[in-house]
Amino acid sequence: MRAIVVEKPGGLEKLQLRKLPAPELGPGEVLIEVAYASCNWSDIQKRQGIYPDTVSYPVILGGEVSGHVAAKGRGVRGFKTGDKVAAIAGPRCVGGFAERVVVPTDYVIGLPDEFPLDLGAAFPMVSLTAYHLTRSAYHVRKGEFVLVHAIGGAVGLMLTQMLKGFGAKVIGTVGGPGKGDRALAFGADRVVDRSREDFVEAARDFSGGKGIDLVIDSLGADILERSFDTLRTYGHIINIGEAAGYPDFPIRPKLYERSTSLAGFEVLHARPGSARWRRGVKFVVDGLASGRLKLPIEAIFPLEQCVDLQRRLEQRGVSGKLLLEIGGVSRTA
């Protein structure tokens, strides 16, 4: 099979298209013939060697895929050969940039017949992250004020739709002009361009001086530190990444200013296969299938152009998802 392999961490030149043996199928696993794979910021971090968790090299990148079940291992129930599926590529979230991938059953999501395969690869991490941020890590209530940094990205757009559906009032930030247009179209109440406006002052004004109930931060750096200044008493921040740089400030004094709190987040802590996980899967699949939720796909690249895809993602400004087309099938097949 063909696959994108990174032998050692480094620049874009480390992305190598190779021919490899197909992965071996074990008990409780499903072999997927991959149609599409999604590229995430974590794939860039793994290629660069800066991913927070340990990565064993050489590695096949790719954390989420769509396609059809090619075979199933001993003890697998609920799937049959030929089923249309999406999947997160197991607990290590690697292996998806390949023509075939083996995935533990709990990480596989059955798709309705009419569900587009390109959307199938695009939605799992983004949509389930947004769901569990707003329903597991924190339970958003009607009327709460929520600040979402990088609201124009794929996670931000999905958060916007879910938060508005739950009755929250949503303000977001972006790094430059025009980057928040799609978030506004998806229902955000206010978008702040951080290059032109102080987001702390804007958030305080947006909440009528009450302060923000929840901040969802994927940027880190000094943006995380300043986000504490937007919070109400007992307000809460969830940090989900450090795209702007690693934060470096004394955290304890910020927590005590208004008895606020800070949490980290990892979507797989919702435990794939659990009742909580299944509720999230049903919510997002039903929402996307019905059109109640939307997830834009910015561009689709052939497997051979993985370098071009990652270069585009590194340039920022992508509002939606970038995919690799691997199986040469129609988007709805």
Side-chain angles (χ1 to χ4, degrees):
M1 70 171 188
R2 299 180 306 156
I4 299 294
V5 179
V6 174
E7 293 283 348
K8 295 181 180 179
L12 290 166
E13 75 282 356
K14 298 297 184 180
L15 297 167
Q16 299 293 319
L17 182 61
R18 300 279 180 82
K19 283 192 174 182
L20 301 174
E24 295 183 3
L25 182 64
E29 294 179 332
V30 170
L31 178 66
I32 298 173
E33 192 85 36
V34 179
Y36 296 91
S38 175
C39 186
N40 297 299
W41 194 253
S42 59
D43 294 306
I44 290 178
Q45 290 179 307
K46 290 169 185 175
R47 187 254 299 162
Q48 293 175 334
I50 61 172
Y51 190 67
D53 297 333
T54 301
V55 177
S56 298
Y57 298 90
V59 64
I60 299 173
L61 300 180
E64 52 188 342
V65 301
S66 67
H68 295 90
V69 174
K72 60 181 187 176
R74 179 170 49 83
V76 171
R77 298 180 180 179
F79 295 102
K80 64 182 184 299
T81 301
D83 279 354
K84 179 188 286 190
V85 294
I88 294 173
R92 294 175 57 237
C93 292
V94 293
F97 291 178
E99 291 178 323
R100 290 192 166 196
V101 63
V102 166
V103 179
T105 309
D106 287 344
Y107 293 76
V108 181
I109 300 168
L111 297 177
D113 290 340
E114 68 279 5
F115 203 99
L117 274 172
D118 54 350
L119 182 59
F123 86 85
M125 295 295 286
V126 166
S127 303
L128 290 168
T129 291
Y131 176 85
H132 288 294
L133 279 169
T134 55
R135 277 295 176 263
S136 300
Y138 186 97
H139 193 90
V140 172
R141 294 172 176 80
K142 183 177 181 180
E144 287 191 316
F145 293 95
V146 181
L147 168 62
V148 180
H149 288 303
I151 197 170
V155 173
L157 294 175
M158 191 57 69
L159 278 167
T160 297
Q161 296 170 80
M162 291 188 190
L163 288 166
K164 292 303 295 181
F166 299 147
K169 300 173 183 179
V170 181
I171 181 172
T173 77
V174 294
K179 292 184 177 181
D181 292 349
R182 188 170 267 166
L184 290 169
F186 278 27
D189 298 292
R190 172 93 157 81
V191 173
V192 179
D193 176 358
R194 296 188 309 275
S195 70
R196 299 182 176 185
E197 192 175 356
D198 181 357
F199 78 83
V200 174
E201 181 179 344
R204 300 295 295 185
D205 289 344
F206 177 72
S207 64
K210 297 177 182 177
I212 298 295
D213 295 282
L214 173 66
V215 176
I216 298 176
D217 168 56
S218 59
L219 300 176
D222 63 332
I223 295 168
L224 176 60
E225 180 179 10
R226 297 198 67 232
S227 293
F228 280 94
D229 298 331
T230 71
L231 293 176
R232 65 166 173 82
T233 302
Y234 302 125
H236 191 60
I237 297 177
I238 304 176
N239 173 253
I240 61 173
E242 293 82 33
Y246 196 81
D248 184 16
F249 63 94
I251 185 66
R252 192 173 185 276
K254 302 302 294 184
L255 295 172
Y256 276 79
E257 285 177 0
R258 282 182 299 281
S259 294
T260 54
S261 58
L262 170 67
F265 177 84
E266 162 54 61
V267 66
L268 296 184
H269 289 160
R271 290 181 34 239
S274 68
R276 182 196 298 273
W277 185 262
R278 292 195 300 271
R279 285 195 297 271
V281 167
K282 178 174 173 50
F283 182 92
V284 298
V285 171
D286 288 353
L288 289 164
S290 68
R292 177 172 50 84
L293 296 174
K294 300 182 185 301
L295 180 58
I297 295 172
E298 190 91 348
I300 300 175
F301 295 76
L303 182 64
E304 297 83 358
Q305 295 179 16
C306 186
V307 168
D308 297 325
L309 182 155
Q310 287 213 348
R311 181 182 292 114
R312 180 162 175 182
L313 189 57
E314 283 184 316
Q315 291 169 348
R316 314 272 189 183
V318 175
S319 181
K321 294 286 286 186
L322 298 179
L323 305 182
L324 286 174
E325 184 174 1
I326 296 175
V329 297
S330 71
R331 298 184 186 183
T332 56

